[in-house]
Amino acid sequence: MAIFLTGGTGYIGAHAAANLLTEHGASLNLLVRARDAREAEERLWQALQLHLDFKLFYEYLQTRIRIFRGDITSDQFGLSRDDYDRLVHTTDSIIHCAASLNRKSEKSCLNVNLRGTLEVIRLGMQVDHYHGLRRFSHVSTVAVAGKRQGEVVTEDNSIDWNRSDYDPYARTKKFCEHMIRQLLPDVPKTIFRPSIVLGDSRRAETTQFDMVRAFVFLAGLPVLPLRSRDRVDIVNVDFVADGIASLHLRESTQHDTYHLSSGRDAQTFKQLTASLAAAQDKRSPIYLSFLEKPFATGVNLLANRKNAIGHGAALMKVFMPYLTFNTVFDNTRVTSELGRKPVPFSQYSYPLLRFSRETNFIYPYQAWPAKVGGSAA
């Protein structure tokens, strides 16, 4: 029996998979989109090499990982009847990490987030029917709280159906939570809502650069169109992955929804930029909050350019609402249950930015070793 994990080749999903394998000795059923078994293995190796050397990865591939080649948006994931039956009968619990983060594409968010989540729920219903589903865990987002300003939001006060959403991503994730609660009423559930997930506190290396690019773009400006005392809720991915893995594996949890966030310890822009400036022996930027609207207008104009500045501006256009709403998400539940807190971003932000700049925002992936032969999937 194994945990069925979606999104295992994604950023949070790969961290969760590595944590489950190395820290908890779990076995995993992984859904991987690929044309053939070898491509599936190579995609998984690319995702997990940040966490494992090839020898250990290959050992897990032989002993504790089953790969199911499929697409989350297809009926029964596009698997053959035999493979789908095998997935049902070897799955004891589900962690649903897969999602479209394309905040600009409503089509992508509808297809992957809503259609995909419904397909994972259908699997959960099948598993529960045949031998019982131990737990269904879903990785959502604090963005389900909708448009906010200057608030501290608890888990129970996040969902307000009359409140506007920032983008299709936030809107569809809110509906995903609703579907899970409605369609799996008797199954133990855990909803995880990460805030802005940025970097690993244990290492400078990362494979996810979009939010880093936006942050580097801001960090390089001598004048920032922000309020210096506004807080930004950034959380380290290793804390998020450990929270997901640890709570999913517990026989019971105290709550069914958790903010995986910095909570009331979220740092201000001034704290973050001061630590970066000190690390680089530079002056801290000047904050001129009255420039926020002109800056947003400029970002919108530059976002259409086909160059590095345009790319940075396009990312800022997407993430700006999440940086300026000065809202933090109470994390008392998860810190109490895990007995620890996230690492402040200021403690690991400079190594992350330095690595990203030195690699030109491209992770130096290792190829599949030539000496290793046929497929294990």
Side-chain angles (χ1 to χ4, degrees):
M1 302 300 289
I3 299 167
F4 176 60
L5 172 68
T6 69
T9 57
Y11 184 57
I12 293 177
H15 275 79
N19 187 291
L20 288 161
L21 289 165
T22 60
E23 301 298 322
H24 300 282
S27 294
L28 302 177
N29 287 336
L30 299 179
L31 185 69
V32 179
R33 191 174 64 252
R35 290 167 295 185
D36 54 43
R38 182 56 181 270
E39 183 184 350
E41 292 176 347
E42 290 180 348
R43 282 200 68 203
L44 191 58
W45 164 233
Q46 189 175 68
L48 291 179
Q49 63 185 248
L50 183 64
H51 313 277
L52 311 170
D53 62 31
F54 185 81
K55 182 180 178 181
L56 185 56
F57 165 78
Y58 198 70
E59 177 186 326
Y60 288 154
L61 196 58
Q62 302 289 329
T63 59
R64 291 204 268 128
I65 293 174
R66 294 188 198 94
I67 294 177
F68 291 84
R69 286 188 293 113
D71 188 324
I72 197 171
T73 63
S74 298
D75 184 53
Q76 295 189 346
F77 311 125
L79 300 174
S80 68
R81 181 172 179 177
D82 287 347
D83 281 346
Y84 192 77
D85 285 346
R86 185 162 63 106
L87 178 60
V88 169
H89 292 293
T90 61
T91 293
D92 83 318
S93 64
I94 293 172
I95 301 178
H96 179 33
C97 276
S100 170
L101 301 176
N102 190 343
R103 291 170 166 84
K104 295 184 291 184
S105 173
E106 186 169 0
K107 178 181 177 181
S108 177
C109 288
L110 286 170
N111 284 344
V112 178
N113 297 349
L114 289 183
R115 177 74 181 88
T117 297
L118 183 59
E119 203 56 48
V120 178
I121 291 171
R122 287 181 62 201
L123 172 70
M125 295 168 75
Q126 288 289 308
V127 172
D128 196 44
H129 171 74
Y130 281 106
H131 55 79
L133 183 62
R134 188 186 64 78
R135 181 174 295 277
F136 189 107
S137 290
H138 173 65
V139 180
S140 184
T141 169
V142 296
V144 298
K147 292 186 176 181
R148 306 271 177 166
Q149 187 62 51
E151 296 182 49
V152 175
V153 182
T154 63
E155 287 89 346
D156 291 340
N157 293 324
S158 291
I159 302 295
D160 178 354
W161 291 98
N162 293 316
R163 189 181 295 269
S164 297
D165 300 301
Y166 283 112
D167 49 40
Y169 170 70
R171 190 173 308 119
T172 54
K173 295 296 277 186
K174 184 162 66 177
F175 274 93
C176 289
E177 288 193 21
H178 182 65
M179 286 194 301
I180 291 164
R181 296 187 194 281
Q182 292 297 311
L183 298 177
L184 296 170
D186 300 321
V187 171
K189 290 173 288 292
T190 319
I191 306 294
F192 297 108
R193 296 179 185 148
S195 57
I196 298 173
V197 182
L198 189 53
D200 190 319
S201 68
R202 304 165 300 179
R203 58 171 73 94
E205 294 80 11
T206 184
T207 57
Q208 205 283 335
F209 291 101
D210 277 358
M211 192 65 195
V212 180
R213 279 181 182 271
F215 198 79
V216 168
F217 181 83
L218 278 178
L221 297 176
V223 176
L224 289 176
L226 302 167
R227 295 176 293 273
S228 64
R229 294 185 180 180
D230 277 9
R231 291 188 287 177
V232 55
D233 201 323
I234 296 173
V235 63
N236 48 304
V237 68
D238 44 307
F239 179 83
V240 171
D242 190 45
I244 293 168
S246 298
L247 293 176
H248 177 80
L249 289 169
R250 291 193 179 174
E251 188 172 335
S252 62
T253 58
Q254 294 176 22
H255 306 278
D256 66 1
T257 307
Y258 295 88
H259 285 161
L260 303 180
S261 61
S262 289
R264 297 171 192 270
D265 292 331
Q267 295 179 294
T268 65
F269 283 114
K270 188 172 184 178
Q271 288 174 309
L272 296 179
T273 53
S275 67
L276 281 176
Q280 300 173 87
D281 197 24
K282 293 182 177 181
R283 293 179 60 182
S284 294
I286 298 170
Y287 286 87
L288 300 176
S289 59
F290 64 85
L291 293 177
E292 183 179 328
K293 287 187 177 179
F295 178 77
T297 301
V299 163
N300 289 337
L301 292 173
L302 293 172
N304 296 319
R305 293 192 178 185
K306 303 297 182 182
N307 55 24
I309 292 176
H311 186 59
L315 290 169
M316 280 306 308
K317 182 178 178 180
V318 170
F319 292 120
M320 197 69 180
Y322 295 98
L323 296 175
T324 57
F325 65 170
N326 189 32
T327 296
V328 299
F329 299 86
D330 185 81
N331 66 359
T332 304
R333 287 181 178 181
V334 72
T335 56
S336 298
E337 210 150 337
L338 294 181
R340 58 187 175 279
K341 293 184 175 183
V343 177
F345 184 55
S346 62
Q347 292 187 18
Y348 65 92
S349 58
Y350 178 60
L352 172 66
L353 265 64
R354 184 173 59 189
F355 169 80
S356 301
R357 285 169 173 160
E358 289 174 352
T359 60
N360 197 27
F361 302 95
I362 299 172
Y363 183 77
Y365 288 105
Q366 302 172 43
W368 187 277
K371 293 181 181 179
V372 180
S375 169

